[in-house]
Amino acid sequence: RKNQLCRRLREQRIAAGGDSGAAEAGEFVPMVKKGGGDVRMARAVDAKLSNPNMPLIEALVAGGFTFPNAKERGKNNKDVKDEDGVSLYQRKNQLCRRLRGKRLEDPRMVRAAASKRDNPSVSLVDALLAGGFEFPKLGSLAMSDKMIRDLENVTLFTRKNELKKKLAALEKDKNVRKESKLSSGDEAVG
């Protein structure tokens, strides 16, 4: 299916005069990727961010995707396809991936990571609170991290994991910079 799509796009580029046909002759022709991806997915992300309680399929539909056979009985997410032939399962997965990316860019997450790095003895929960996250049911008895949600309907468990990932990425970046400085210093000496 992917090969069919690539072939169709190549044929359209050739027909539009945007390709010399070199790809047909076996030469490598790099594709220039235009950033942003599918505008429908961007709209679905915006819809979900503006209403965190909205189900994923509703966000996808609000973005402009249509799933003609979504209501049929006995069909699971992998069987339901949109007009492009992509499964609902894949669309939901992509939407979740984009939402995770947006959450990691959240300035509150950056502040929470800074709080934890400044004072490693601070708990992840306290770092998240210092970053500006609000968990209305945090003090409730007998509630696990998977039951406590913030104002965007994201669980405390997920936020803690995202913070751990952010801290690990920052630490990795710090180590890479340190190694880079050491290796450039070695080259200057040698």
Side-chain angles (χ1 to χ4, degrees):
R1 184 164 286 191
K2 185 177 178 183
N3 289 338
Q4 291 171 345
L5 177 63
C6 291
R7 190 174 331 141
R8 190 173 66 225
L9 290 172
R10 187 179 317 116
E11 289 168 0
Q12 288 172 352
R13 278 198 328 265
I14 292 169
D19 193 335
S20 64
E24 299 300 322
E27 296 177 29
F28 174 73
V29 178
M31 300 249 328
V32 178
K33 183 176 181 186
K34 306 282 186 210
D38 194 329
V39 294
R40 297 173 299 172
M41 187 59 71
R43 287 193 303 254
V45 168
D46 290 341
K48 182 68 174 165
L49 289 174
S50 67
N51 184 359
N53 294 322
M54 177 185 285
L56 293 173
I57 188 166
E58 286 183 25
L60 290 166
V61 170
F65 292 98
T66 57
F67 299 94
N69 57 351
K71 301 265 191 245
E72 290 180 25
R73 286 189 164 275
K75 292 226 174 202
N76 65 28
N77 288 342
K78 291 183 179 181
D79 295 333
V80 175
K81 309 279 185 192
D82 66 7
E83 67 277 3
D84 298 325
V86 178
S87 71
L88 177 57
Y89 177 85
Q90 290 174 292
R91 293 292 187 195
K92 283 182 171 182
N93 192 19
Q94 177 65 23
L95 178 55
C96 288
R97 190 176 310 120
R98 297 260 184 113
L99 290 168
R100 274 193 305 276
K102 289 281 187 186
R103 287 197 306 255
L104 288 176
E105 296 169 6
D106 189 332
R108 295 173 300 170
M109 188 59 71
V110 173
R111 289 191 302 266
S115 173
K116 182 70 175 163
R117 290 181 82 190
D118 290 345
N119 185 357
S121 65
V122 154
S123 72
L124 292 172
V125 174
D126 288 338
L128 289 166
L129 293 172
F133 290 98
E134 296 178 40
F135 298 92
K137 296 183 179 179
L138 187 59
S140 301
L141 295 175
M143 288 191 80
S144 72
D145 289 355
K146 291 184 178 180
M147 295 171 62
I148 298 171
R149 295 183 175 273
D150 65 10
L151 300 176
E152 285 91 37
N153 201 31
V154 178
T155 64
L156 177 58
F157 179 82
T158 299
R159 291 290 189 195
K160 286 167 70 174
N161 281 334
E162 289 171 348
L163 179 54
K164 288 178 195 175
K165 288 178 186 175
K166 182 82 172 169
L167 290 166
L170 290 170
E171 189 63 31
K172 182 179 177 185
D173 185 48
K174 179 179 147 187
N175 290 337
V176 167
R177 282 195 313 255
K178 190 184 294 184
E179 288 176 16
S180 176
K181 285 181 183 178
L182 288 174
S183 66
S184 66
D186 291 342
E187 291 170 8
V189 173

